Amino acid sequence: MIVFIRQGFRDSVNVSLFSIAVWDQIKCLAGVVYRLHGPIGLVDPVSGIFWKWATWPVLIYLPIFAGYVSYGMATYVSIERCLSVSWPLKIRFLVNPRLTTGFMVGLSIIIFGSFSPVIFVYEVEYTFNSHYNTSIPRVAAGNLYFARDGFILKMYKYLGIIYPAIFCTVMTVCSVIIILRLRRSSANFRPDRRKNGGRETAGAASVNMTPREVKVTRMLLVVIFVYLMDFFPRLCIYVASLIEPEFFVYRRLHNLMQITSNTVWVLDFLNASINFFIFMNMSTNFKTTFYEIFPARSG
């Protein structure tokens, strides 16, 4: 985030990647704050239990919702790159930082807002525990959990399939188009001595796409692939929850749901952390700016 702020937002790509970084940061911070119950429990077990269950309704879902928002933004990036490699001259003038900012804000509001009611279906109750000789919290299904025949949870399940299905389909199609266009651009980017009296001229595709744009597109393509690899397991979980209603929190297959959900959590946090290393390895500008801000020190 600091690197993108330093580089400025004259480029729509920086706006997109900065927005994704913000939600990745929210995802990681929420996960870290929730998991503080472990270190706190080493000092005071009761305080650790309080921290774990008092923060559970919000912090267990916040990383998931933040992940969906970042997936939506990655889908926008795939569409923008697909259009850029298909009609570079036209899209270059249409897609600007202001338009991209509007899409980033809109996606954040729509996706996060559509999932947020799920946070309120659970309630924190306090029951006396004889082992600790005090009342400790626990999460239980609230009134909204069963309201209108569990409408909110059903909506959550369906959105959990609709969003991934749309995002995965769009990113896959756009990725295929981008790869084909890049191959065509590479084939056309060859010296042509048959024209202009033997002087070298580049192919038409290379005129439309600069070498920098090709490099940026390849980097973003890697980012999109990482999202696809992370997103597919979550899609499978939600499909399974629709096929088997008991495969959900506090139902018969609760433990299996927890195991698979925690596995997907690990993938989510890896996805949120790996983009930095992709940028450092594939973007010369990002790497240069990073070392300008944080100079490398030799032993």
Side-chain angles (χ1 to χ4, degrees):
M1 290 164 59
I2 294 173
V3 170
F4 291 132
I5 292 173
R6 177 69 172 270
Q7 290 180 340
F9 300 107
R10 292 186 297 269
D11 189 347
S12 60
V13 173
N14 274 21
V15 176
S16 301
L17 296 182
F18 174 79
S19 302
I20 292 174
V22 169
W23 282 103
D24 283 345
Q25 182 73 6
I26 293 174
K27 181 196 300 185
C28 292
L29 284 177
V32 169
V33 172
Y34 173 69
R35 294 294 176 177
L36 285 177
H37 66 77
I40 293 174
L42 294 176
V43 178
D44 182 3
V46 175
S47 296
I49 294 173
F50 264 87
W51 186 277
K52 178 178 181 178
W53 294 114
T55 61
W56 190 92
V58 175
L59 296 184
I60 203 71
Y61 279 110
L62 185 56
I64 299 175
F65 301 160
Y68 277 112
V69 176
S70 63
Y71 296 144
M73 292 177 173
T75 304
Y76 170 85
V77 170
S78 69
I79 296 173
E80 187 270 334
R81 281 295 100 184
C82 180
L83 295 175
S84 295
V85 299
S86 300
W87 301 285
L89 294 180
K90 295 180 180 179
I91 299 302
R92 196 175 298 167
F93 294 101
L94 292 177
V95 179
N96 54 64
R98 179 176 297 182
L99 178 65
T100 301
T101 300
F103 269 103
M104 296 298 104
V105 174
L107 287 170
S108 300
I109 295 174
I110 293 172
I111 298 176
F112 188 84
S114 62
F115 279 116
S116 58
V118 180
I119 296 176
F120 304 101
V121 302
Y122 300 102
E123 294 179 354
V124 178
E125 298 178 348
Y126 292 85
T127 56
F128 181 79
N129 186 292
S130 58
H131 177 73
Y132 295 110
N133 195 32
T134 186
S135 295
I136 60 174
R138 71 181 184 91
V139 174
N143 293 330
L144 291 178
Y145 189 98
F146 304 100
R148 296 187 179 183
D149 195 26
F151 171 77
I152 293 179
L153 290 180
K154 288 181 180 178
M155 180 187 69
Y156 174 62
K157 288 182 179 180
Y158 283 113
L159 288 178
I161 292 179
I162 293 172
Y163 282 139
I166 294 175
F167 296 159
C168 286
T169 301
V170 173
M171 283 194 282
T172 301
V173 172
C174 289
S175 298
V176 172
I177 295 175
I178 291 171
I179 292 172
L180 294 176
R181 290 288 181 177
L182 286 178
R183 286 182 176 180
R184 184 179 300 178
S185 178
S186 299
N188 289 338
F189 194 77
R190 294 171 181 169
D192 187 356
R193 296 179 180 274
R194 294 175 298 177
K195 300 180 181 180
N196 298 328
R199 290 179 296 174
E200 293 184 356
T201 59
S206 64
V207 174
N208 294 338
M209 287 187 65
T210 65
R212 178 183 178 276
E213 288 174 330
V214 172
K215 190 174 182 179
V216 170
T217 300
R218 286 173 177 167
M219 180 189 71
L220 295 178
L221 194 60
V222 173
V223 174
I224 294 168
F225 282 153
V226 171
Y227 273 101
L228 284 172
M229 293 173 62
D230 176 43
F231 218 26
F232 184 72
R234 183 172 295 280
L235 177 61
C236 293
I237 287 178
Y238 283 107
V239 171
S241 67
L242 281 182
I243 296 175
E244 176 53 70
E246 294 300 317
F247 182 68
F248 203 70
V249 180
Y250 296 124
R251 294 186 179 176
R252 184 167 55 88
L253 299 177
H254 169 85
N255 290 340
L256 181 60
M257 178 67 176
Q258 290 296 96
I259 292 173
T260 55
S261 296
N262 286 333
T263 302
V264 172
W265 261 51
V266 173
L267 294 177
D268 282 347
F269 290 122
L270 287 175
N271 181 30
S273 307
I274 200 172
N275 285 340
F276 169 77
F277 300 100
I278 295 174
F279 300 152
M280 286 292 288
N281 281 278
M282 299 191 68
S283 175
T284 304
N285 289 338
F286 186 94
K287 187 174 183 179
T288 301
T289 305
F290 177 82
Y291 283 120
E292 287 177 355
I293 301 173
F294 308 102
R297 296 182 178 179
S298 57

